[in-house]
């Protein structure tokens, strides 16, 4: 029986992917085999030695101590693309709200007083203050062309917009999914200089922190619009507000309210709604539950942010799943120990990513406890599991 600890409310659609005859799931559970989390911060959390995997029902993993988990040989799974449509729709809504001054117009309408005749006259007198513009022919710059960025770019093209994209690490899969009319920017600065709207779909890290600052805002066309539904900190908010006040920027739409932004007349801040749809929550939970189950039961890995992808079909019998540092002679040591234990290798697969490697080995008979202990003692081995064995 596998034990799953949930740190947040995880969609039932995801939890149903874990059969109750094999999984015990609770928000309070001792010695869990895996943890499912959404937004809870885990950096200061004391983890049980029983934890073998962490699943984040969403894309970002800033709330998880990924480096620490890597050192322990624990994969951290996420759900890239599961919330892509939800974020795409909110970006489109943000562009439309900025272009048509929806926030300011709504505030004006809510402030009207008097009977309906008086309100009607006030509407006709005041609507000229909220004249906006249309999207066709405008240029949207998309920084980050992963699952979300591609959907945003393609949707903008369907609205008649020009689209410029920038992503130096774009995957072949994403490149194939892009509409043919999406143009390539050679740099962030190149993209900013050509864009009436700019939207960001990148993680927050050293390279992207304050990516948009006062210097870069000066490169943008006058009356441009910034949209940030990715991560707080990508845009220097103080620089953005200065540009709004000077008239350089037309609007700033983001998912991260603050005292600086929330009451600014040219800002529209939302309470982190990017992935807040029932569909996105269900998709994320289903994806990450499937990945955690596949890892616990078979050792296969997909969509891990810290361990390589690996998939070796089960052919019955006993499987050893080994996470180790990507150093020379590791496979040789593993094979030697198996031979010394009298175990024949039925199938074997090794995959590596940067400094970490994962090896799956199917053997003809259950490894002894001594063999497992010997593998754990190999310098550079981070974790060893035996699947289908009496000793896990």
């Amino acid at each position: 029986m596998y034990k799953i600890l949930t740190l947040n409310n995880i969609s039932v659609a995801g939890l149903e992917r874990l059969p109750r005859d094999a999984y015990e799931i609770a928000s309070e559970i001792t010695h869990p085999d895996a943890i499912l989390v959404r937004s809870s911060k885990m950096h200061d959390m004391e983890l049980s030695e029983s934890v073998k995997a962490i699943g984040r029902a969403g894309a970002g993993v800033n709330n998880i101590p990924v480096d620490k988990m890597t050192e322990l040989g624990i994969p951290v799974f996420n759900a890239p693309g599961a919330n892509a449509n939800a974020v795409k729709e909110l970006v489109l809504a943000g562009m439309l709200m900025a272009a048509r001054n929806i926030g300011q117009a709504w505030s004006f309408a809510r402030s009207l007083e008097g009977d309906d005749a008086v309100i009607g006259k006030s509407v006709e007198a005041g609507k000229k203050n909220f004249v906006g513009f249309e999207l066709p022919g405008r240029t949207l710059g998309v920084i980050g062309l992963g699952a979300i960025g591609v959907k945003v770019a393609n949707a903008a093209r369907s609205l008649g917009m020009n689209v410029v994209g920038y992503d130096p690490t774009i995957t072949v899969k994403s490149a194939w999914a892009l509409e043919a009319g999406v143009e390539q920017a050679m740099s962030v600065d190149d993209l900013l200089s050509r864009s009436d709207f700019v939207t960001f779909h990148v993680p927050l890290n050293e390279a992207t922190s304050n990516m948009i600052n006062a210097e870069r805002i000066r490169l943008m066309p006058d009356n441009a619009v910034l949209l940030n539904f990715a991560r707080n900190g990508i845009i220097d908010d103080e620089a953005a507000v200065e540009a709004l006040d000077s008239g350089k920027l037309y609007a700033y739409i983001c998912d991260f309210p603050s005292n600086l932004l929330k009451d600014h007349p040219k800002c529209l801040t939302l309470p982190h709604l990017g992935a807040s749809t029932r569909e996105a929550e269900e998709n994320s939970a289903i994806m990450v539950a499937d990945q955690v189950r596949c890892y616990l039961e078979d050792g296969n890995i997909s969509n891990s942010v810290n361990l390589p992808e690996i998939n070796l079909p089960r052919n019955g019998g006993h499987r050893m799943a080994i996470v180790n540092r990507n150093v020379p002679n590791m496979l040789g040591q593993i094979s030697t120990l198996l031979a010394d234990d009298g175990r024949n290798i039925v199938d074997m697969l090794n995959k590596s990513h940067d400094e970490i490697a994962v090896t799956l080995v199917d053997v003809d008979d259950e490894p002894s406890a001594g063999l497992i202990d010997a593998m754990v003692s190999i310098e550079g081995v981070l974790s060893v599991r035996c699947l289908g064995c009496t000793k896990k």
Side-chain angles (χ1 to χ4, degrees), residues 35-365:
I35 297 173
L36 298 183
V37 60
R38 289 178 61 198
S39 59
S40 288
K41 298 187 184 303
M42 298 182 60
H43 289 275
D44 297 326
M45 182 178 173
E46 188 89 23
L47 284 186
S48 168
E49 292 183 359
S50 63
V51 173
K52 304 171 183 67
I54 296 174
R56 161 76 165 96
V61 292
N62 291 9
N63 57 319
I64 301 170
V66 176
D67 290 344
K68 179 181 178 182
M69 296 304 100
T70 303
E71 290 297 314
L72 296 172
I74 297 173
V76 176
F77 297 96
N78 68 343
N83 62 3
N85 188 71
V87 178
K88 176 205 76 177
E89 291 184 355
L90 199 57
V91 172
L92 297 180
M95 286 197 294
L96 290 165
M97 287 188 289
R100 299 302 300 272
N101 302 306
I102 298 299
Q104 299 93 322
W106 189 15
S107 294
F108 166 74
R110 295 182 68 191
S111 70
L112 297 175
E113 297 180 349
D115 59 29
D116 286 350
V118 171
I119 288 176
K121 290 180 180 179
S122 298
V123 165
E124 292 306 314
K127 68 180 184 181
K128 62 180 180 294
N129 297 316
F130 308 105
V131 174
F133 57 90
E134 299 179 20
L135 300 183
R138 308 277 176 171
T139 298
L140 171 65
V142 183
I143 297 178
L145 293 168
I148 298 172
V150 167
K151 282 185 175 290
V152 170
N154 292 345
R157 286 289 297 161
S158 71
L159 292 175
M161 300 184 74
N162 305 312
V163 179
V164 180
Y166 176 73
D167 189 337
T169 62
I170 187 172
T171 65
V172 173
K173 180 179 179 181
S174 291
W176 274 108
L178 273 176
E179 292 280 349
V182 177
E183 299 179 27
Q184 178 187 7
M186 303 311 296
S187 66
V188 172
D189 292 353
D190 177 36
L191 179 143
L192 293 174
S193 68
R194 300 161 61 184
S195 303
D196 302 300
F197 294 83
V198 181
T199 182
F200 303 85
H201 302 289
V202 294
L204 179 64
N205 53 39
E206 187 176 346
T208 62
S209 179
N210 284 339
M211 172 187 285
I212 302 303
N213 50 33
E215 182 178 353
R216 278 186 157 158
I217 289 174
R218 284 193 288 271
L219 299 174
M220 302 176 70
D222 291 343
N223 292 315
V225 176
L226 291 175
L227 303 112
N228 182 13
F229 293 98
R231 284 290 181 267
N232 190 27
I234 292 173
I235 295 175
D236 180 342
D237 288 348
E238 291 187 1
V241 167
E242 289 178 5
L244 291 169
D245 292 341
S246 71
K248 175 64 177 178
L249 290 178
Y250 187 83
Y252 178 21
I253 316 296
C254 77
D255 227 4
F256 313 103
S258 67
N259 285 317
L260 179 65
L261 302 178
K262 67 184 181 66
D263 296 319
H264 195 285
K266 293 185 178 180
C267 288
L268 180 58
T269 59
L270 303 175
H272 206 177
L273 296 181
S276 293
T277 67
R278 288 189 298 274
E279 293 86 351
E281 291 177 3
E282 289 179 359
N283 292 340
S284 296
I286 289 170
M287 182 182 291
V288 79
D290 285 348
Q291 291 163 180
V292 166
R293 179 182 178 185
C294 194
Y295 179 72
L296 291 177
E297 296 181 9
D298 297 323
N300 293 322
I301 298 173
S302 60
N303 292 326
S304 169
V305 300
N306 62 334
L307 268 59
E309 185 161 325
I310 189 168
N311 188 349
L312 181 65
R314 290 296 292 270
N315 51 26
H318 308 285
R319 167 170 290 183
M320 300 194 72
I322 304 154
V323 181
N324 55 268
R325 300 195 187 282
N326 187 21
V327 296
N329 197 35
M330 191 61 71
L331 288 179
Q333 294 182 78
I334 292 171
S335 299
T336 298
L337 285 176
L338 286 167
D340 291 345
D341 198 54
R343 300 296 177 262
N344 182 50
I345 297 175
V346 178
D347 207 349
M348 186 174 187
L349 183 63
N350 172 269
K351 294 290 183 179
S352 63
H353 176 69
D354 294 334
E355 299 179 355
I356 300 296
V358 175
T359 304
L360 300 180
V361 187
D362 290 342
V363 293
D364 61 349
D365 197 6

